Amino acid sequence: MSSVCPWAYSSIQVVWRGLMVMQAIRKLLRGVRWGPLDVLVIDMPPGTGDTQLSITQEIPIQGIILVTTPQTVAIADCIKGAEMFTKVSVPITGVVHNMSYYTCTTCNTPHYIFGRSLTEKLRGSSAQVPVLGEVPIKPEISANCDEGVPSVITDPQISEIFDDIVDRVIPVLTLEDKVS
């Protein structure tokens, strides 16, 4: 990030719009010697803005994975994103529910404290979105993130959840069409 935006880690606010976003994306995609890739994962902010559209114009995309939390506003944003990607002919591989449930440490029962309406709301949208997995609310995930430690290394349950998600995604990808 420092070669694109050397002040990104200072206290100065960085505001990028349109052309600046597109130039940074081009530099990332075309100016880096990636070597042969099987899969390139790009973590983008939610929404339907310049970042998402620029990437769909710059590289062939075999599929996107939407990640959302169970709150109504997040689901609405997810649906808008799914519908935008459908309109620009980008296949939707599926959706991951983040902070989907909390498992009680006393009774070991999952509790969907935000409800389980995500799947129904996504089915009601014009984009068909399969559910790839549900990631629970766990304080350890937040602590691990703060320390830069992947939870898939420290938590067997989280590792299994992400392995299952990957197992659902890989068959959808056409790995013969590698991005280079």
Side-chain angles (χ1 to χ4, degrees), residues 131-143:
V131 176
L132 299 172
E134 296 180 328
V135 180
I137 298 171
K138 292 185 90 171
E140 300 85 358
I141 294 174
S142 178

Side-chain angles (χ1 to χ4, degrees), residues 54-125:
S54 295
I55 288 177
T56 65
Q57 295 167 352
E58 286 294 317
I59 59 172
I61 300 173
Q62 292 180 332
I64 61 143
I65 299 170
L66 300 164
V67 179
T68 187
T69 57
Q71 293 82 9
T72 302
V73 70
I75 295 168
D77 205 24
C78 182
I79 290 169
K80 286 178 187 175
E83 290 173 348
M84 182 212 64
F85 283 113
T86 299
K87 282 182 185 175
V88 295
S89 302
V90 173
I92 299 169
T93 304
V95 65
V96 174
H97 303 189
N98 193 16
M99 299 192 305
S100 185
Y101 60 91
Y102 173 78
T103 301
C104 176
T105 55
T106 305
C107 67
N108 206 28
T109 303
H111 297 278
Y112 291 82
I113 57 179
F114 298 110
R116 294 198 76 178
S117 61
L118 175 62
T119 303
E120 291 75 28
K121 287 181 182 178
L122 289 172
R123 284 193 184 123
S125 73

